[in-house]
Amino acid sequence: MNFKNDVEALDTLQAKYQDLKQEITTVIYGQDDIVKQVLISLFSKGHVLLIGVPGLAKTLLVTTIAKILGLNYNRIQFTPDLMPSDIIGTEILDNERNFKFIQGPLFANIILADEINRTPPKTQSALLEAMQERAVTAAGQHFELDRPFFVLATQNPIEQEGTYPLPEAQLDRFMFSVWLDYPKLEDEITIVKNTTTIQNTELKPVISGKEILYFQDLIRKIPVNDNVLRYAVTLAAKTRPESENAAEISKQYLKWGAGPRASQYLVLGAKTHAALNGKYSPDIEDVKAIAPSILRHRIIKNYKAEAENISIDQIIDKLL
């Protein structure tokens, strides 16, 4: 990747982003905002949790993105009997009677963790190290995972029998928690029309793994104004009901606030949001644009909020 300067590189990133979006919308209709958030997370080196009822094309979205990014991709279907070795890999005895490690599906660039809350904590935690350290320890050996490494997990919010809710520490590993809603009527008509006829859409790779790594580093180089930085960190601090910076609504309705990782992601996400929209430095609007998806899974309502039927998103709106 040879660019004269960072400004030229950022212009190229914005052009690539438009190409990516255009290519994805040949298959995924009416989910532009979701696509945007997944791509922001990818360029910020974050992971995404997609929450929505069955049939909203969560899995299709992920497979489409994997094809367009030209990266290798594995899907892991989480079930109650899945074991950590089914994800990470296992040791076997080979013909020479030596132990040999066979890599599991976790060794890929993009992992779709389908219905992640269907599996017990032991197996959920097998993903933890990989998501945070981008590495795996198995059979006493340390394996580095390929970069870029990106986990997209899906969760079904309605069916709660036989599920194991993700612990807060695991939720915190996800940069974004994105809610998928039912499509608008016009979009649904288009979806049904296009998916009930013979239609072969050939997806072409738009960006390579090397380019993604380059742009991920480029985003970290983007300068941030002090007032934007302060706004992002203060926003996260406002959610902590016990702290001196707590907002009134947090003291009233929250049991638990967002940790420092939220502040980091608010700044990183704002940088990426700015870059993808053709700006060379983020402003407060960029922080506001990505804040709901970053805070949504990091704050916990108290009993009063439950009793008064106040949603997390309403609380976040008030904070913004």
Side-chain angles (χ1 to χ4, degrees):
M1 308 281 297
N2 295 322
F3 295 109
K4 286 203 282 290
N5 52 30
D6 288 350
V7 169
E8 190 187 1
L10 282 169
D11 291 341
T12 309
L13 170 60
Q14 201 213 353
K16 282 274 183 204
Y17 167 64
Q18 296 304 338
D19 295 347
L20 281 167
K21 241 176 30 176
Q22 201 173 345
E23 194 68 21
I24 291 169
T25 44
T26 57
V27 178
I28 305 278
Y29 312 95
Q31 300 279 24
D32 297 349
D33 195 43
I34 310 295
V35 169
K36 184 178 181 178
Q37 295 193 54
V38 171
L39 292 175
I40 286 175
S41 182
L42 173 77
F43 287 117
S44 307
K45 284 191 194 169
H47 307 288
V48 180
L49 180 63
L50 296 168
I51 301 174
V53 296
L56 294 184
K58 298 187 289 292
T59 313
L60 180 65
L61 172 67
V62 183
T63 44
T64 305
I65 286 173
K67 281 179 194 158
I68 290 169
L69 297 177
L71 298 172
N72 55 7
Y73 150 82
N74 278 328
R75 173 173 185 240
I76 306 171
Q77 181 67 51
F78 282 75
T79 54
D81 57 355
L82 196 75
M83 295 302 282
S85 58
D86 297 331
I87 299 177
I88 296 168
T90 186
E91 274 200 309
I92 60 160
L93 267 173
D94 62 11
N95 302 340
E96 279 83 58
R97 303 191 70 79
N98 294 323
F99 279 106
K100 183 173 154 202
F101 181 70
I102 301 287
Q103 294 183 344
L106 196 56
F107 289 82
N109 297 114
I110 295 187
I111 302 294
L112 168 59
D114 223 349
E115 298 211 72
I116 192 171
N117 57 338
R118 291 235 163 269
T119 198
K122 183 179 181 179
T123 308
Q124 287 173 3
S125 65
L127 256 187
L128 264 188
E129 181 189 8
M131 285 170 70
Q132 189 57 31
E133 270 79 46
R134 308 279 199 284
V136 165
T137 307
Q141 287 171 283
H142 189 73
F143 298 96
E144 289 288 326
L145 294 168
D146 283 347
R147 312 286 164 97
F149 178 72
F150 184 46
V151 174
L152 277 141
T154 69
Q155 200 173 307
N156 165 3
I158 44 176
E159 204 181 353
Q160 294 309 336
E161 296 88 42
T163 61
Y164 304 83
L166 289 178
E168 272 60 50
Q170 174 125 15
L171 281 172
D172 200 34
R173 297 284 200 273
F174 288 100
M175 176 175 183
F176 280 163
S177 162
V178 180
W179 270 93
L180 276 83
D181 225 335
Y182 293 107
K184 296 191 180 73
L185 189 65
E186 291 308 311
D187 288 329
E188 194 166 345
I189 290 169
T190 311
I191 292 167
V192 173
K193 197 161 116 191
N194 290 339
T195 51
T196 52
T197 54
I198 294 173
Q199 197 182 25
N200 294 327
T201 312
E202 279 294 313
L203 291 168
K204 55 182 195 293
V206 175
I207 190 169
S208 69
K210 240 195 186 109
E211 288 175 303
I212 293 169
L213 290 172
Y214 176 83
F215 289 131
Q216 284 178 340
D217 290 340
L218 177 72
I219 285 193
R220 288 176 184 255
K221 286 198 229 164
I222 294 175
V224 175
N225 224 328
D226 278 353
N227 67 323
V228 178
L229 192 70
R230 181 168 284 276
Y231 177 81
V233 178
T234 310
L235 178 61
K238 274 185 182 173
T239 64
R240 301 166 194 158
E242 302 299 322
S243 82
E244 69 266 26
N245 302 312
E248 217 26 68
I249 191 160
S250 304
K251 290 179 189 167
Q252 210 179 344
Y253 291 126
L254 293 183
K255 186 163 70 179
W256 209 252
R261 207 182 256 136
S263 311
Q264 292 168 331
Y265 278 143
L266 283 166
V267 172
L268 254 179
K271 284 182 175 195
T272 311
H273 189 270
L276 298 184
N277 286 312
K279 292 192 276 192
Y280 302 121
S281 178
D283 52 32
I284 285 173
E285 290 311 306
D286 292 305
V287 180
K288 285 182 173 175
I290 47 124
S293 298
I294 287 176
L295 297 176
R296 189 175 287 135
H297 54 304
R298 290 186 164 88
I299 57 183
I300 298 168
K301 297 190 291 188
N302 62 14
Y303 181 71
K304 188 168 190 241
E306 296 286 355
E308 293 181 27
N309 212 357
I310 306 260
S311 75
I312 289 277
D313 282 14
Q314 282 172 312
I315 296 171
I316 295 171
D317 280 347
K318 284 267 175 16
L319 288 167
L320 291 173

PDB file of all heavy atoms in Angstrom, residues 12 94 181:
ATOM      1  N   THR A  12      -8.795   6.911   0.035  1.00  0.00           N
ATOM      2  CA  THR A  12      -8.920   5.568  -0.545  1.00  0.00           C
ATOM      3  C   THR A  12      -9.815   4.697   0.327  1.00  0.00           C
ATOM      4  O   THR A  12     -10.639   3.935  -0.177  1.00  0.00           O
ATOM      5  CB  THR A  12      -7.529   4.904  -0.667  1.00  0.00           C
ATOM      6  OG1 THR A  12      -6.654   5.807  -1.332  1.00  0.00           O
ATOM      7  CG2 THR A  12      -7.597   3.597  -1.437  1.00  0.00           C
ATOM      8  N   ASP A  94      -0.884 -39.332  15.801  1.00  0.00           N
ATOM      9  CA  ASP A  94      -0.732 -39.597  14.373  1.00  0.00           C
ATOM     10  C   ASP A  94      -0.131 -40.998  14.157  1.00  0.00           C
ATOM     11  O   ASP A  94       0.066 -41.760  15.111  1.00  0.00           O
ATOM     12  CB  ASP A  94       0.115 -38.512  13.691  1.00  0.00           C
ATOM     13  CG  ASP A  94       1.522 -38.440  14.227  1.00  0.00           C
ATOM     14  OD1 ASP A  94       1.908 -39.357  14.966  1.00  0.00           O
ATOM     15  OD2 ASP A  94       2.234 -37.458  13.910  1.00  0.00           O
ATOM     16  N   ASP A 181     -33.907  -5.135  13.363  1.00  0.00           N
ATOM     17  CA  ASP A 181     -35.355  -5.047  13.437  1.00  0.00           C
ATOM     18  C   ASP A 181     -35.966  -5.640  12.178  1.00  0.00           C
ATOM     19  O   ASP A 181     -35.275  -5.879  11.198  1.00  0.00           O
ATOM     20  CB  ASP A 181     -35.778  -3.576  13.591  1.00  0.00           C
ATOM     21  CG  ASP A 181     -36.843  -3.445  14.675  1.00  0.00           C
ATOM     22  OD1 ASP A 181     -37.532  -4.461  14.909  1.00  0.00           O
ATOM     23  OD2 ASP A 181     -36.982  -2.363  15.277  1.00  0.00           O
TER      24      ASP A 181
END
